[in-house]
Amino acid sequence: MCKVGGLVFFFFIISYQLRSQILPREGSILNYRLIGFSVPLKGKADKCRLEIADGSYNEEAIFKKHIVKTLSFKGNRIIAEVPYWGEQYTWRFFYTKSESKIVNVEWHHFGTSTAAEVDTSQVRLRITKQAARYQDAFVFLDNNKALYDMNGRPVWFLPEKIGGGSVVSDLELSPQGTITFLLADKAYEINYNGDVLWKAPNNGKVSGDSMESYHHEFTRLANGHYMVLGTEWVYWDMKTHSAEDGKPNKGEVMKQGKDSLHVHKSPFGTLIEYDEKGNVVWSWKSSGYFSKPDIRPDELSAAIFGDIIDVHANAFYFDEKNKNIYVGFKNLNRIVKLKYPEGSVVNTYSEMSKPGAKEEGDGLFCGQHSIERSGDGYIYVYNNNSCNRDRMPTVIEMEEEVGKNELKKIWEYACTIENERAPKKLNRGGNVIELDDHSLFVCMGGSYSKIFIVNKDKKILWSALPEERNKDEKKWNVIAQYRGNIIRKRRDLESLIWDIEMPVPATANR
């Protein structure tokens, strides 16, 4: 009986492998227009030709009248773009073998779905400067839930079955050729089809609460693990004044507890590393760091009770090679450098402006989002400049000064706006990513989410604005984004496209 079962399983695997080589699968409805086409071939073909028609057909004469694309190539697979969302398609391969016999593979059928996010009469990515370089790159916009080519055409969107009605952030391509993102307070990894490959447990094992409340940033590491920011709600004893003069006692360590008359429940940051099975393999809590004497009680008190409402972390960067993690705290204008896996604080970069400052500050950065370490070892931040009334956000490149708790600015780019109706102050969101030639991909975030590529000579190589149509006012308005991300090379996207051949793990939806 076991032998029969094993034999059945063997033929199931073989059957799956054969079926999986026919892509797109018969009758499938796709959330993308850039598609991998493949068929199984017995032996080596000299030449192949792909024909695609819009509509669903099984008759030669009708099929030929509706062909929208014909491509010739070698091998048994090719990536091709179909023109329309919400359309049915028919396709077939011709291939020629060495004996010059033309083999006609049967017709196959699929469709593309559609969504409001890719309806270009309502939502668009308007190119304001055509690409001078990186023409074959692709851009993720998280609030748009879509992937665009550098001409502003949407080629993929997050399926409704996952992202319907919920806020999405940090939509990006992982080092493993998958897509990761945050959906409300949950964290997902999916393939190109939108099948869930992995979902963070969100079980409160680190926060001590009913959930981890993931936010801001989620990434898959080069080692295959996952790292994400979370929240720990902590009761803090804020009685930090000496009895003698009523002034802050800077040497007093703040204590946690629910029994004090001076407690306040506040959100602090957690950083969690999971393995592929969802086990916590490492974590760090900022509440432990903020309870140390190097944080003055009056500083944290101002953060919690003053104009700054909390001290959550809003960005991190894991330098896996040098085993350091940089964690950003927007509301304290501070970056903390940790040694991994010890979790010890190596350096703190702050001193930028006083907590509680409303409209002034002359520090290096203020209200920053996004931390990136360059290939040359420099630190980049997207500086929202929220302490400065009349200054736009900037992108800053900084050098860590050896032996000092300081960063030295070596390069800065001041972001610009091109819309008179755009807000003059941008306090939320934004990020920066260094590209292979040291140019920078930037998303300005917030209510004016311009995205652009700028080189180190401060020349704009490409720029675009995500916009939506206001039907009543009959005008286009900028769509707010939290972050943008870039797929730098077409071959990276091609790896993502072909990875849909891999089976979806049975544990993905736990």
Side-chain angles (χ1 to χ4, degrees), residues 86-333:
E87 179 64 89
Q88 294 293 315
Y89 290 94
T90 304
W91 65 281
R92 66 179 177 182
F93 262 43
F94 287 94
Y95 60 93
T96 305
K97 291 196 172 184
S98 56
E99 59 270 23
S100 299
K101 180 181 179 182
I102 296 178
V103 180
N104 178 7
V105 177
E106 69 271 15
W107 284 294
H108 302 282
H109 308 85
F110 70 94
T112 54
S113 57
T114 189
E117 289 82 3
V118 293
D119 180 352
T120 53
S121 68
Q122 303 300 321
V123 178
R124 70 183 184 185
L125 181 62
R126 180 167 62 88
I127 306 302
T128 54
K129 181 175 178 56
Q130 291 290 336
R133 297 193 63 180
Y134 291 95
Q135 294 96 331
D136 63 342
F138 295 84
V139 172
F140 277 118
L141 291 180
D142 51 16
N143 198 29
N144 279 30
K145 306 177 185 179
L147 178 69
Y148 296 85
D149 66 19
M150 299 302 276
N151 293 309
R153 295 176 299 212
V155 297
W156 177 95
F157 68 89
L158 187 66
E160 181 77 12
K161 63 184 179 182
I162 300 175
S166 298
V167 176
V168 171
S169 59
D170 204 21
L171 188 64
E172 65 177 333
L173 182 71
S174 77
Q176 289 73 20
T178 59
I179 297 170
T180 58
F181 60 95
L182 293 165
L183 178 66
D185 58 1
K186 301 177 178 61
Y188 289 91
E189 178 184 33
I190 62 173
N191 64 13
Y192 196 56
N193 276 339
D195 302 316
V196 175
L197 304 176
W198 190 87
K199 180 180 177 182
N202 203 18
N203 52 19
K205 285 190 175 181
V206 174
S207 70
D209 207 335
S210 60
M211 62 179 65
E212 301 293 357
S213 299
Y214 306 125
H215 60 87
H216 281 87
E217 192 155 1
F218 168 54
T219 188
R220 191 163 187 197
L221 306 175
N223 67 7
H225 289 181
Y226 304 83
M227 190 166 280
V228 62
L229 285 171
T231 300
E232 178 192 23
W233 289 89
V234 180
Y235 288 93
W236 285 91
D237 186 347
M238 298 306 299
K239 189 176 181 181
T240 59
H241 295 78
S242 65
E244 289 76 17
D245 55 12
K247 294 182 179 180
N249 181 349
K250 297 184 179 181
E252 182 178 346
V253 178
M254 290 168 292
K255 298 178 180 179
Q256 298 168 278
K258 300 181 181 180
D259 299 328
S260 172
L261 297 175
H262 305 277
V263 299
H264 186 84
K265 190 176 183 182
S266 305
F268 288 79
T270 64
L271 186 59
I272 309 169
E273 180 184 357
Y274 294 105
D275 65 16
E276 294 89 335
K277 296 181 180 179
N279 300 310
V280 176
V281 296
W282 182 88
S283 65
W284 182 79
K285 296 183 178 184
S286 69
S287 60
Y289 162 66
F290 283 116
S291 69
K292 301 294 191 301
D294 64 331
I295 302 298
R296 302 190 307 273
D298 59 314
E299 181 180 22
L300 188 57
S301 179
I304 293 177
F305 293 114
D307 299 296
I308 301 173
I309 61 172
D310 62 51
V311 287
H312 72 276
N314 74 332
F316 73 89
Y317 178 81
F318 187 10
D319 177 5
E320 294 186 65
K321 179 180 178 181
N322 296 298
K323 304 298 182 183
N324 292 313
I325 300 176
Y326 300 81
V327 185
F329 296 89
K330 168 190 175 183
N331 292 335
L332 289 176
N333 314 312

Side-chain angles (χ1 to χ4, degrees), residues 338-493:
L338 306 175
K339 187 64 180 175
Y340 176 90
E342 293 84 351
S344 55
V345 175
V346 178
N347 271 323
T348 58
Y349 304 123
S350 57
E351 199 284 318
M352 315 311 169
S353 60
K354 294 180 179 179
K358 286 185 178 180
E359 300 291 349
E360 60 183 359
D362 56 1
L364 194 56
F365 53 79
C366 181
Q368 76 285 353
H369 274 79
S370 175
I371 307 166
E372 173 93 358
R373 191 174 188 274
S374 75
D376 294 332
Y378 297 113
I379 303 298
Y380 286 102
V381 298
Y382 180 77
N383 173 32
N384 290 72
N385 241 335
S386 52
C387 293
N388 297 283
R389 183 193 300 271
D390 299 320
R391 293 181 62 189
M392 289 296 292
T394 62
V395 176
I396 308 176
E397 181 183 12
M398 297 169 290
E399 182 180 13
E400 296 181 86
E401 296 200 274
V402 178
K404 299 180 180 180
N405 280 8
E406 295 179 7
L407 293 170
K408 179 182 178 182
K409 180 170 68 177
I410 60 174
W411 185 87
E412 184 175 24
Y413 176 81
C415 299
T416 61
I417 59 175
E418 290 77 27
N419 188 330
E420 293 180 357
R421 293 183 287 109
K424 301 300 186 287
K425 200 71 204 152
L426 303 173
N427 294 329
R428 300 180 66 251
N431 65 308
V432 55
I433 299 170
E434 186 189 47
L435 304 179
D436 295 341
D437 63 351
H438 303 293
S439 298
L440 301 174
F441 171 83
V442 181
C443 173
M444 291 176 64
S447 53
Y448 188 74
S449 296
K450 182 174 74 171
I451 54 176
F452 59 92
I453 296 175
V454 59
N455 66 16
K456 299 309 285 291
D457 294 326
K458 301 185 180 181
K459 179 182 178 181
I460 298 297
L461 305 181
W462 175 84
S463 64
L465 277 170
E467 297 176 326
E468 62 183 344
R469 182 74 174 171
N470 186 311
K471 294 181 181 179
D472 296 331
E473 298 179 3
K474 297 182 179 179
K475 64 182 182 181
W476 291 89
N477 298 320
V478 178
I479 306 175
Q481 309 290 324
Y482 176 65
R483 293 188 181 199
N485 278 292
I486 185 168
I487 298 178
R488 309 175 193 200
K489 300 180 179 66
R490 183 182 174 91
R491 68 171 178 263
D492 295 331
L493 179 61

